[in-house]
Amino acid sequence: MSDLFTYNNGSAVIPKDTFRISPSQINKFFDSTNEWYRTMLLDEAGFQGNTATHLGTCVHAAAETFITKGTIDTTAINTYIASIKDPEVEKQVITEQWPTMANNIVNYLSTFKPINPTCEQFVVAEVTPKVVVGGSIDLYSDNLGGVITDYKTMGSLDKARLPKKIPRNYWLQQMTYVWALRKLGKPVSYFQLVYVTRSNTGRFNDKGKALKDYPSEIHVLKEPVTEENLAIIEDVLKLIAESVTLWKSNPEYHHLLAQD
């Protein structure tokens, strides 16, 4: 499978003796500490994906190929879906949902009009010696002094489940990308989460009565970058880095560090 559908963990650019802080896992350092240490430092297998994550991969691929090629690479996406081996993944649901969701993302991007866009750029910046932060950014563009755009897919039937403000885990993730880009000399004025919901239409209950339609929609949340928030995320990253360094140099503290 092509790099379009392969997760980039930075192994090609990060030295083997250097620890990578994953932006998407930072919230787990605080909320599921034991799981974070077991996955990040003991190499235990973590979450391997499900129908929702594979659907998200397809929508992300559609957005990337639209930006880079000017059109959605439908063939590549359908080939990826066919390659999924996990019997628990509902491939039919993915096949039915991704085109509408992807088209909504494309419509938004056509309105947003990203300037000098880069897609899925892997960025890495040093936090402390032998500890870096690194990950792939869905979209960076020069709009309005630099903007990070992150796509979030969701299957809600109820708009009440849509967040009214940036959720904490995504705030930590995106502010980490902001911090890394700033460290690399790239300007960022704000980041935005572009939520796209599944299409839930033409449904009936067990008595044959039509249920309310919930067509696929786009919802955008934006967060400006402030010096205060940059200071907060830098403190968070340094705390994690210092904890990793302590873990590596003092095995006798493992049981203390990895407590929830």
Side-chain angles (χ1 to χ4, degrees):
M1 192 55 57
S2 71
D3 289 341
L4 191 63
F5 304 97
T6 304
Y7 176 70
N8 184 358
N9 64 4
S11 59
V13 295
I14 299 175
K16 294 185 181 300
D17 62 345
T18 299
F19 180 83
R20 178 183 73 93
I21 299 173
S22 169
S24 65
Q25 299 298 310
I26 289 177
N27 68 297
K28 287 188 176 180
F29 177 82
F30 299 100
D31 302 335
S32 302
T33 307
N34 183 263
E35 179 186 351
W36 187 89
Y37 272 98
R38 286 188 288 107
T39 303
M40 298 293 107
L41 286 162
L42 295 177
D43 295 324
E44 292 187 12
F47 176 64
Q48 299 299 306
N50 56 21
T51 300
T53 56
H54 284 292
L55 175 57
T57 296
C58 292
V59 173
H60 279 71
E64 180 178 353
T65 56
F66 172 74
I67 292 292
T68 58
K69 300 179 180 180
T71 186
I72 296 174
D73 194 336
T74 301
T75 299
I77 294 171
N78 286 333
T79 299
Y80 168 74
I81 296 170
S83 73
I84 298 171
K85 304 301 183 184
D86 186 348
E88 299 297 318
V89 173
E90 299 174 278
K91 293 198 283 188
Q92 184 61 34
V93 170
I94 300 172
T95 300
E96 292 173 352
Q97 290 288 342
W98 84 258
T100 299
M101 297 172 74
N103 282 330
N104 281 341
I105 288 283
V106 165
N107 289 338
Y108 175 78
L109 291 173
S110 297
T111 301
F112 177 63
K113 297 179 180 178
I115 301 169
N116 298 324
T118 55
C119 298
E120 297 299 332
Q121 175 189 7
F122 188 87
V123 296
V124 57
E126 183 181 86
V127 181
T128 59
K130 300 298 183 181
V131 179
V132 300
V133 60
S136 296
I137 298 174
D138 288 352
L139 173 64
Y140 173 82
S141 61
D142 290 338
N143 303 58
L144 302 173
V147 178
I148 291 173
T149 300
D150 194 83
Y151 316 117
K152 301 298 184 186
T153 55
M154 62 183 301
S156 175
L157 296 178
D158 183 356
K159 290 181 184 178
R161 285 189 57 212
L162 281 161
K164 301 298 189 296
K165 63 179 183 178
I166 306 288
R168 174 173 168 273
N169 57 329
Y170 293 150
W171 187 93
L172 290 167
Q173 178 188 31
Q174 299 308 315
M175 277 303 303
T176 297
Y177 286 131
V178 171
W179 183 88
L181 284 176
R182 288 283 194 94
K183 288 276 284 186
L184 297 173
K186 295 285 286 185
V188 186
S189 61
Y190 74 90
F191 67 83
Q192 59 180 357
L193 302 185
V194 179
Y195 284 89
V196 57
T197 63
R198 292 191 196 185
S199 176
N200 291 282
T201 60
R203 300 172 303 119
F204 298 87
N205 64 18
D206 55 5
K207 296 182 179 180
K209 182 179 178 179
L211 299 173
K212 183 177 180 179
D213 285 343
Y214 293 90
S216 176
E217 295 182 353
I218 292 288
H219 296 267
V220 182
L221 296 177
K222 300 179 180 181
E223 178 87 0
V225 175
T226 67
E227 293 304 315
E228 179 183 3
N229 286 343
L230 282 169
I232 291 172
I233 200 65
E234 180 164 313
D235 286 344
V236 166
L237 294 174
K238 287 184 175 180
L239 172 65
I240 296 173
E242 290 168 2
S243 179
V244 168
T245 300
L246 183 62
W247 171 281
K248 290 186 173 183
S249 60
N250 296 275
E252 67 273 20
Y253 294 152
H254 285 186
H255 68 290
L256 297 174
L257 291 167
Q259 291 187 76
D260 286 335

